[in-house]
Structure formats: C-alpha cells, structure tokens
Amino acid sequence: MVSLKEEIEELKRQKNAVVLAHYYVDDDVQAVADYVGDSYYLAKVAVGLKESTIVFAGVKFMGESAKILNPDKTVLMPDPDADCPMAHMAEIEKIEAVRREYDDVAVVCYINSTAELKMHSDVCVTSANAMKIVKALPNKNIYFIPDENLGRYIATKVNDKNFIFNDGFCHVHKAITADDIKRTKKHHPNAKVLIHPECTLDVLSLADYIGSTSGIIDYATNSDSEEFIISTELGVLYELKKKNPNKRFFIVQDRQICPNMKKVTLEKVRDCLLHETGIVNVGEEKRNRSLVPLKKMLELAN
Ligand code: 13P
Ligand code: SF4
C-alpha cells in the first residue's frame, strides 16, 4: 500500500511543487517538507524557488506573503482556515491616526499580519530580524504592530527611539507565565531557559536566550548544556530532538500548542496537491502595496 508520504512525494513530482513548513506544524508534516524554518527563513526561501507551485504548511499570513513575493507561482494552503488571530489585531484607522500625530513615524509590521495591515506599513519584520531592522531605520518614532510583546522586547534593546505600541498578542505565548518558567526551572535547575519574544516581558526576564524558533533551535544545538526549558510552541521539539538526540528538552505547561498551525495535516497536504485547492489569491493593488514592506524587510535584514 502506498503511504501518504509517498503519495505526496509523487504529487510533488507530477505538479512541480515544493512544500514549505513552519516549525509549529505537526511532525509528520515537517517530515515531508522540502524546507522547514522560522518565518524569516521561509519568506526568504519562497523567493527564487524553481518549482511552479508552493504548498505552504503554515498559517494564512505565511501563504499570503509567499504569494505576494511570488505572484507568478501557484501557492496552496492545505487548510485555508488556518489563520493567526494576532494577524488581525491592529487597525488601519489607528495607523493613520499615529501617522498624523508623528510625522517621522515608521510603521513596523510583524510579518504575522494580514496583507491589509502590510499595505499600510513601512517595513515588515520577523522575530529573527526585528532588532536589526528597527536599529537600521532612520526614524525616531516606531509604531510597532500588531504584537505588543515583541514590540516591547525590541524597545528594551533600542534605547534611542520612541516606541508606540499596539495591543495585539499571540494567545499561545501570552498564556505562558513567569510561574510556569520558575516551576519548571525548580525541577530542572541546570536547564537553560529558551524563550520566544512573543512572550510577555516578565517571562522574558527569566530567559538565558530569547529568539525566534530558528534561534532557539540553533542555540540549543550549539550549546554545551544538555538540558533546555522550551518556552514556545511545541512543534519546535521535532527539530530540536532530531538535531540533538542526546539532549533533554522540557516544556513549561501543556497549552503550548497553536490550534491553527495544528489544522495542517498530512492528509490536507496531499489533498491540496491532488485537487489543487486552497489557492492563495491576492488582488493586484493589495499585492503591489504589501510587497513594498516585505521587500524592504528582505533588503534591510540581509
Ligand atoms: P518565528 O518562527 O519567526 O519565530 O515565528 C513564530 C510564530 O509565532 C509564527 O507564527
Ligand atoms: Fe499566531 Fe501565535 Fe499561532 Fe504563531 S503561534 S500562528 S503567532 S497564534
């Protein structure tokens, strides 16, 4: 009997397709992907692929960004309902009001955002490049959308700018508390604490390392330590364990799961390729305008 994995491999060949997956999707989906990474890596990889079809195993803003960067390619989402709630947590009216109030403001938009929000922004960032990009901007005033936690973390590292925050958040990372970290650390006192910057500042203050999903994986892989407390979505454990079979990883609570990332299943990857469903469409005006901050991110982060 042909396995789902074999079916997907055959469909990839037939359809000239490539699968990109974020570290938060299920292990078996990561296992069939041609490229697995954090949001920055996946946005970079999406540019310049030779295949004509990209299957994006992730949430909507990721597939949308891939389409905006590659208008001539077919981008398929295995589950078009997999959407990041934070991507919607900012308002165009508020952006316009901030622009009226601060004439030199740069609207810095976390890539976890809708194309509409990107259209009204100056530059996109991910957790892997936000610090570098914000520092490189000539603007004194920074309006950081939609994630308040990432914005506040960057502000602690960039002292010569004035930050205006928005109240968006990732419900998965916001649910992790300082007590969760302290309790886990008590049980594993020698473990290094690795935290994603979508967590709140009081949680981040307990970290040995703060970074994107790739940053967390690289830190654990390159570290001499053997034990790590992981404060981000549990999907990263697949790559962490694959790269570090002899190291030990501890989670901080049992709700470190993004329900939207988990909507992407192996069956849905097969079905979207087989039936060519979940096609991402972005209208021309929206594409042209949201391409500007995405391209600026790729230039400034490089
Ligand atoms: P990174 O992989 O860029 O760290 O992003 C985390 C995230 O929440 C993606 O939805
Ligand atoms: Fe959005 Fe958080 Fe899920 Fe990432 S983990 S897709 S930020 S809800």
Side-chain angles (χ1 to χ4, degrees):
M1 200 180 127
V2 182
S3 71
L4 255 179
K5 192 169 186 284
E6 287 165 335
E7 262 189 272
I8 291 169
E9 292 305 335
E10 180 53 29
L11 282 164
K12 279 200 258 180
R13 272 189 294 276
Q14 282 175 19
K15 310 264 174 166
N16 189 25
V18 64
V19 178
L20 272 54
H22 188 266
Y23 286 129
Y24 292 165
V25 297
D26 275 340
D27 299 2
D28 55 358
V29 177
Q30 292 189 47
V32 296
D34 301 283
Y35 302 91
V36 188
D38 70 1
S39 312
Y40 175 46
Y41 171 79
L42 293 173
K44 267 191 309 186
V45 152
V47 181
L49 289 168
K50 60 181 189 324
E51 291 82 359
S52 55
T53 295
I54 299 172
V55 175
F56 215 119
V59 287
K60 193 172 174 183
F61 74 82
M62 297 178 168
E64 209 169 52
S65 298
K67 181 67 186 179
I68 292 163
L69 289 162
N70 298 281
D72 298 334
K73 292 196 193 288
T74 302
V75 179
L76 305 176
M77 294 289 297
D79 187 330
D81 291 334
D83 195 3
C84 171
M86 178 165 63
H88 303 266
M89 291 184 190
E91 284 161 21
I92 310 297
E93 297 72 31
K94 179 77 197 295
I95 297 175
E96 285 166 354
V98 171
R99 284 197 191 280
R100 281 193 297 275
E101 194 175 341
Y102 301 89
D103 55 5
D104 84 325
V105 75
V107 179
V108 176
C109 185
Y110 192 24
I111 198 164
N112 298 38
S113 51
T114 60
E116 280 85 359
L117 289 175
K118 290 183 177 80
M119 275 169 77
H120 292 268
S121 301
D122 297 305
V123 62
C124 288
V125 296
T126 75
S127 54
N129 59 36
M131 189 106 66
K132 183 175 181 183
I133 290 177
V134 169
K135 280 184 178 167
L137 292 172
N139 315 63
K140 168 94 178 138
N141 292 301
I142 304 292
Y143 182 35
F144 199 99
I145 60 165
D147 188 15
E148 177 172 4
N149 292 328
L150 179 62
R152 287 197 183 273
Y153 168 62
I154 300 300
T156 65
K157 303 283 174 193
V158 184
N159 300 320
D160 59 340
K161 293 186 190 283
N162 175 50
F163 282 78
I164 304 124
F165 301 109
N166 173 71
D167 58 3
F169 59 90
C170 162
H171 66 99
V172 182
H173 289 87
K174 199 178 175 182
I176 297 172
T177 66
D179 281 345
D180 290 331
I181 309 285
K182 287 179 194 159
R183 191 184 52 249
T184 316
K185 183 79 182 171
K186 216 168 168 182
H187 289 117
H188 307 287
N190 297 323
K192 293 274 187 239
V193 179
L194 317 186
I195 309 186
H196 195 281
E198 287 174 13
C199 290
T200 53
L201 278 186
D202 59 333
V203 172
L204 294 180
S205 71
L206 302 169
D208 291 299
Y209 173 78
I210 299 167
S212 74
T213 51
S214 291
I216 286 173
I217 292 163
D218 290 348
Y219 182 94
T221 305
N222 298 326
S223 167
D224 293 334
S225 298
E226 290 179 352
E227 297 190 338
F228 303 89
I229 292 168
I230 303 299
S231 182
T232 187
E233 214 273 353
L234 298 186
V236 294
L237 292 174
Y238 177 66
E239 187 74 12
L240 279 168
K241 289 177 182 168
K242 200 164 88 177
K243 285 206 163 115
N244 305 282
N246 298 321
K247 294 185 179 177
R248 293 181 2 114
F249 300 98
F250 307 105
I251 60 171
V252 298
Q253 36 111 308
D254 55 11
R255 299 178 308 280
Q256 291 168 246
I257 297 169
C258 174
N260 280 288
M261 288 285 189
K262 286 346 188 208
K263 285 180 182 167
V264 183
T265 63
L266 214 47
E267 284 80 6
K268 289 178 191 171
V269 172
R270 187 262 324 264
D271 290 347
C272 81
L273 270 166
L274 185 62
H275 306 298
E276 294 176 32
T277 49
I279 296 176
V280 179
N281 287 308
V282 182
E284 198 181 336
E285 200 212 337
K286 196 190 268 186
R287 178 190 113 75
N288 289 339
R289 288 181 57 194
S290 53
L291 181 62
V292 176
L294 276 170
K295 266 178 116 174
K296 191 157 183 198
M297 172 184 83
L298 295 176
E299 278 160 31
L300 289 177
N302 212 340

